[in-house]
Short mmCIF file of all heavy atoms in Angstrom, two decimals:
data_model
loop_
_atom_site.label_atom_id
_atom_site.label_comp_id
_atom_site.label_asym_id
_atom_site.label_seq_id
_atom_site.Cartn_x
_atom_site.Cartn_y
_atom_site.Cartn_z
N ILE Z 251 99.06 43.96 179.15
CA ILE Z 251 99.43 42.68 178.71
C ILE Z 251 99.90 42.89 177.33
O ILE Z 251 99.32 43.66 176.55
CB ILE Z 251 98.31 41.62 178.78
CG1 ILE Z 251 98.83 40.19 178.53
CG2 ILE Z 251 97.13 41.98 177.98
CD1 ILE Z 251 97.89 39.10 178.80
N VAL Z 252 100.89 42.15 176.91
CA VAL Z 252 101.39 42.37 175.49
C VAL Z 252 100.29 41.77 174.50
O VAL Z 252 99.75 40.71 174.74
CB VAL Z 252 102.78 41.48 175.24
CG1 VAL Z 252 103.15 41.59 173.80
CG2 VAL Z 252 103.79 42.13 176.18
N ARG Z 253 100.00 42.58 173.48
CA ARG Z 253 99.06 42.23 172.57
C ARG Z 253 99.60 42.47 171.10
O ARG Z 253 100.23 43.47 170.82
CB ARG Z 253 97.72 43.10 172.72
CG ARG Z 253 96.97 42.67 173.93
CD ARG Z 253 96.02 43.71 174.42
NE ARG Z 253 96.82 44.62 175.37
CZ ARG Z 253 96.29 45.62 176.05
NH1 ARG Z 253 95.00 46.03 175.93
NH2 ARG Z 253 97.00 46.40 176.90
N ILE Z 254 99.25 41.58 170.22
CA ILE Z 254 99.78 41.56 168.89
C ILE Z 254 98.77 41.40 167.83
O ILE Z 254 97.96 40.40 167.98
CB ILE Z 254 100.93 40.55 168.72
CG1 ILE Z 254 102.13 40.76 169.66
CG2 ILE Z 254 101.42 40.44 167.25
CD1 ILE Z 254 103.15 39.64 169.63
N SER Z 255 98.67 42.15 166.78
CA SER Z 255 97.65 41.93 165.72
C SER Z 255 98.14 42.60 164.49
O SER Z 255 99.14 43.37 164.39
CB SER Z 255 96.35 42.49 166.17
OG SER Z 255 96.28 43.96 165.97
N ASP Z 256 97.37 42.33 163.32
CA ASP Z 256 97.70 42.98 162.06
C ASP Z 256 96.71 44.11 161.93
O ASP Z 256 96.52 44.69 160.83
CB ASP Z 256 97.53 41.94 160.94
CG ASP Z 256 96.40 41.04 160.97
OD1 ASP Z 256 95.43 41.38 161.76
OD2 ASP Z 256 96.32 40.05 160.26
N GLY Z 257 96.06 44.58 162.94
CA GLY Z 257 95.17 45.70 162.88
C GLY Z 257 95.80 46.94 163.42
O GLY Z 257 96.98 47.11 163.63
N ARG Z 258 94.90 47.92 163.70
CA ARG Z 258 95.29 49.22 164.29
C ARG Z 258 94.73 49.38 165.62
O ARG Z 258 93.98 48.60 166.13
CB ARG Z 258 94.80 50.34 163.35
CG ARG Z 258 95.25 50.30 161.94
CD ARG Z 258 94.67 51.41 161.15
NE ARG Z 258 93.17 51.29 160.99
CZ ARG Z 258 92.31 52.17 161.56
NH1 ARG Z 258 92.77 53.27 162.15
NH2 ARG Z 258 91.05 52.06 161.49
N MET Z 259 95.15 50.54 166.26
CA MET Z 259 94.44 50.91 167.50
C MET Z 259 94.28 52.48 167.48
O MET Z 259 94.88 53.09 166.71
CB MET Z 259 95.14 50.49 168.79
CG MET Z 259 96.36 51.24 169.19
SD MET Z 259 97.01 50.86 170.70
CE MET Z 259 98.44 52.08 170.87
N SER Z 260 93.32 52.81 168.18
CA SER Z 260 93.06 54.32 168.30
C SER Z 260 94.19 55.04 168.81
O SER Z 260 94.90 54.54 169.71
CB SER Z 260 91.75 54.51 169.20
OG SER Z 260 91.71 55.94 169.53
N GLY Z 261 94.47 56.18 168.25
CA GLY Z 261 95.50 56.96 168.74
C GLY Z 261 95.30 57.43 170.23
O GLY Z 261 96.32 57.91 170.88
N THR Z 262 94.14 57.33 170.73
CA THR Z 262 93.84 57.63 172.12
C THR Z 262 94.11 56.51 173.08
O THR Z 262 94.01 56.66 174.34
CB THR Z 262 92.32 58.08 172.26
OG1 THR Z 262 91.53 56.89 172.01
CG2 THR Z 262 92.04 59.14 171.28
N ALA Z 263 94.40 55.37 172.50
CA ALA Z 263 94.64 54.12 173.30
C ALA Z 263 96.08 54.11 173.89
O ALA Z 263 96.93 54.80 173.46
CB ALA Z 263 94.28 52.85 172.57
N PHE Z 264 96.28 53.20 174.81
CA PHE Z 264 97.55 52.97 175.46
C PHE Z 264 97.71 51.54 175.79
O PHE Z 264 96.81 50.68 175.83
CB PHE Z 264 97.62 53.78 176.72
CG PHE Z 264 96.40 53.64 177.57
CD1 PHE Z 264 96.40 52.63 178.66
CD2 PHE Z 264 95.26 54.43 177.40
CE1 PHE Z 264 95.24 52.46 179.51
CE2 PHE Z 264 94.09 54.16 178.24
CZ PHE Z 264 94.11 53.25 179.21
N GLY Z 265 98.98 51.14 176.03
CA GLY Z 265 99.29 49.71 176.38
C GLY Z 265 100.48 49.19 175.53
O GLY Z 265 100.90 49.89 174.60
N THR Z 266 100.89 47.94 175.92
CA THR Z 266 102.14 47.43 175.13
C THR Z 266 101.42 46.53 174.01
O THR Z 266 101.17 45.39 174.21
CB THR Z 266 102.86 46.53 176.12
OG1 THR Z 266 103.14 47.31 177.29
CG2 THR Z 266 104.19 46.00 175.47
N ILE Z 267 101.32 47.22 172.94
CA ILE Z 267 100.48 46.76 171.80
C ILE Z 267 101.23 46.87 170.59
O ILE Z 267 101.57 47.89 170.02
CB ILE Z 267 99.11 47.47 171.70
CG1 ILE Z 267 98.35 47.28 173.05
CG2 ILE Z 267 98.28 46.94 170.68
CD1 ILE Z 267 97.12 48.23 173.15
N VAL Z 268 101.48 45.68 169.89
CA VAL Z 268 102.12 45.59 168.64
C VAL Z 268 101.12 45.53 167.45
O VAL Z 268 100.12 44.70 167.57
CB VAL Z 268 103.05 44.32 168.51
CG1 VAL Z 268 103.72 44.15 167.16
CG2 VAL Z 268 104.06 44.37 169.58
N LEU Z 269 101.24 46.44 166.50
CA LEU Z 269 100.21 46.71 165.60
C LEU Z 269 100.87 46.64 164.15
O LEU Z 269 101.91 46.59 163.91
CB LEU Z 269 99.57 48.07 165.74
CG LEU Z 269 98.99 48.43 167.10
CD1 LEU Z 269 99.11 49.90 167.35
CD2 LEU Z 269 97.66 47.78 167.22
N HIS Z 270 99.83 46.60 163.17
CA HIS Z 270 100.26 46.73 161.69
C HIS Z 270 101.22 45.52 161.28
O HIS Z 270 102.01 45.72 160.40
CB HIS Z 270 100.95 47.99 161.38
CG HIS Z 270 100.16 49.26 161.88
ND1 HIS Z 270 100.64 50.52 161.54
CD2 HIS Z 270 99.09 49.48 162.59
CE1 HIS Z 270 99.85 51.46 162.15
NE2 HIS Z 270 98.84 50.75 162.70
N VAL Z 271 101.00 44.37 161.88
CA VAL Z 271 101.95 43.21 161.45
C VAL Z 271 101.74 43.06 159.99
O VAL Z 271 100.64 42.80 159.49
CB VAL Z 271 101.69 42.03 162.29
CG1 VAL Z 271 102.36 40.74 161.76
CG2 VAL Z 271 102.03 42.26 163.76
N THR Z 272 102.80 43.06 159.26
CA THR Z 272 102.79 42.93 157.79
C THR Z 272 103.77 41.85 157.32
O THR Z 272 104.87 41.83 157.76
CB THR Z 272 103.27 44.32 157.15
OG1 THR Z 272 102.30 45.38 157.74
CG2 THR Z 272 103.07 44.28 155.65
N PRO Z 273 103.31 40.99 156.35
CA PRO Z 273 101.96 41.00 155.79
C PRO Z 273 100.97 40.45 156.74
O PRO Z 273 101.30 39.65 157.59
CB PRO Z 273 102.18 40.00 154.52
CG PRO Z 273 103.35 39.28 154.97
CD PRO Z 273 104.21 39.99 155.77
N GLU Z 274 99.61 40.81 156.46
CA GLU Z 274 98.52 40.45 157.39
C GLU Z 274 98.30 38.91 157.29
O GLU Z 274 98.59 38.20 156.25
CB GLU Z 274 97.41 41.19 157.14
CG GLU Z 274 96.73 40.98 155.74
CD GLU Z 274 95.46 41.69 155.51
OE1 GLU Z 274 94.50 41.59 156.34
OE2 GLU Z 274 95.42 42.39 154.46
N SER Z 275 97.58 38.36 158.29
CA SER Z 275 97.27 36.99 158.30
C SER Z 275 96.33 36.55 157.16
O SER Z 275 96.42 35.42 156.61
CB SER Z 275 96.71 36.56 159.60
OG SER Z 275 95.56 37.42 159.98
N ALA Z 276 95.38 37.49 156.77
CA ALA Z 276 94.39 37.10 155.71
C ALA Z 276 94.96 36.74 154.37
O ALA Z 276 94.33 36.33 153.50
CB ALA Z 276 93.40 38.23 155.65
N ILE Z 277 96.20 37.26 154.15
CA ILE Z 277 96.88 36.88 152.80
C ILE Z 277 98.01 35.92 153.00
O ILE Z 277 98.89 35.79 152.11
CB ILE Z 277 97.42 38.22 152.06
CG1 ILE Z 277 98.48 38.85 152.92
CG2 ILE Z 277 96.14 39.11 151.90
CD1 ILE Z 277 99.14 40.05 152.08
N GLY Z 278 98.11 35.31 154.19
CA GLY Z 278 99.05 34.27 154.40
C GLY Z 278 100.32 34.76 155.08
O GLY Z 278 101.35 33.98 155.02
N GLY Z 279 100.29 35.85 155.76
CA GLY Z 279 101.50 36.29 156.45
C GLY Z 279 101.81 35.23 157.58
O GLY Z 279 100.93 34.54 158.01
N PRO Z 280 103.10 35.31 158.18
CA PRO Z 280 103.34 34.46 159.23
C PRO Z 280 102.38 34.49 160.45
O PRO Z 280 102.18 33.47 161.09
CB PRO Z 280 104.72 34.88 159.71
CG PRO Z 280 105.29 35.51 158.52
CD PRO Z 280 104.10 36.13 157.77
N LEU Z 281 101.79 35.57 160.60
CA LEU Z 281 100.83 35.64 161.77
C LEU Z 281 99.66 34.63 161.64
O LEU Z 281 99.13 34.11 162.62
CB LEU Z 281 100.21 37.11 161.86
CG LEU Z 281 99.40 37.45 163.02
CD1 LEU Z 281 100.14 37.58 164.37
CD2 LEU Z 281 98.61 38.79 162.78
N ALA Z 282 99.38 34.30 160.41
CA ALA Z 282 98.25 33.37 160.12
C ALA Z 282 98.53 31.98 160.81
O ALA Z 282 97.70 31.15 161.05
CB ALA Z 282 98.00 33.16 158.65
N HIS Z 283 99.86 31.69 160.98
CA HIS Z 283 100.25 30.36 161.36
C HIS Z 283 100.70 30.20 162.85
O HIS Z 283 101.24 29.18 163.25
CB HIS Z 283 101.31 29.81 160.46
CG HIS Z 283 100.97 30.01 159.01
ND1 HIS Z 283 99.85 29.30 158.42
CD2 HIS Z 283 101.51 30.75 158.02
CE1 HIS Z 283 99.80 29.60 157.20
NE2 HIS Z 283 100.69 30.40 156.85
N VAL Z 284 100.41 31.32 163.62
CA VAL Z 284 100.70 31.24 164.96
C VAL Z 284 99.57 30.37 165.72
O VAL Z 284 98.50 30.53 165.46
CB VAL Z 284 100.72 32.65 165.71
CG1 VAL Z 284 101.05 32.56 167.21
CG2 VAL Z 284 101.77 33.57 164.94
N ARG Z 285 100.02 29.59 166.67
CA ARG Z 285 99.18 28.77 167.44
C ARG Z 285 99.26 29.04 168.90
O ARG Z 285 100.31 29.44 169.42
CB ARG Z 285 99.37 27.30 167.19
CG ARG Z 285 99.17 26.83 165.71
CD ARG Z 285 99.33 25.39 165.52
NE ARG Z 285 99.14 24.97 164.04
CZ ARG Z 285 99.37 23.82 163.55
NH1 ARG Z 285 99.87 22.85 164.33
NH2 ARG Z 285 99.02 23.59 162.29
N SER Z 286 98.24 28.89 169.66
CA SER Z 286 98.22 28.99 171.12
C SER Z 286 99.38 28.06 171.68
O SER Z 286 99.41 26.93 171.22
CB SER Z 286 96.89 28.74 171.77
OG SER Z 286 95.94 29.61 171.46
N GLY Z 287 100.12 28.56 172.57
CA GLY Z 287 101.19 27.82 173.16
C GLY Z 287 102.55 28.07 172.59
O GLY Z 287 103.59 27.85 173.24
#
């Protein structure tokens, strides 16, 4: 399933995963303001 975060994943992992979203949510990046739906 598509997954999105401002974190990392192990290099051993697999999947449709978007990582390292910058700037991160904890400093007010756009990711902070995403809502369900």
Side-chain angles (χ1 to χ4, degrees):
I251 187 172
V252 178
R253 287 155 277 185
I254 300 173
S255 76
D256 46 12
R258 299 178 300 113
M259 77 173 181
S260 168
T262 66
F264 49 89
T266 311
I267 303 173
V268 178
L269 305 155
H270 308 184
V271 170
T272 304
E274 65 173 305
S275 53
I277 64 170
L281 188 69
H283 307 299
V284 180
R285 295 180 180 176
S286 289

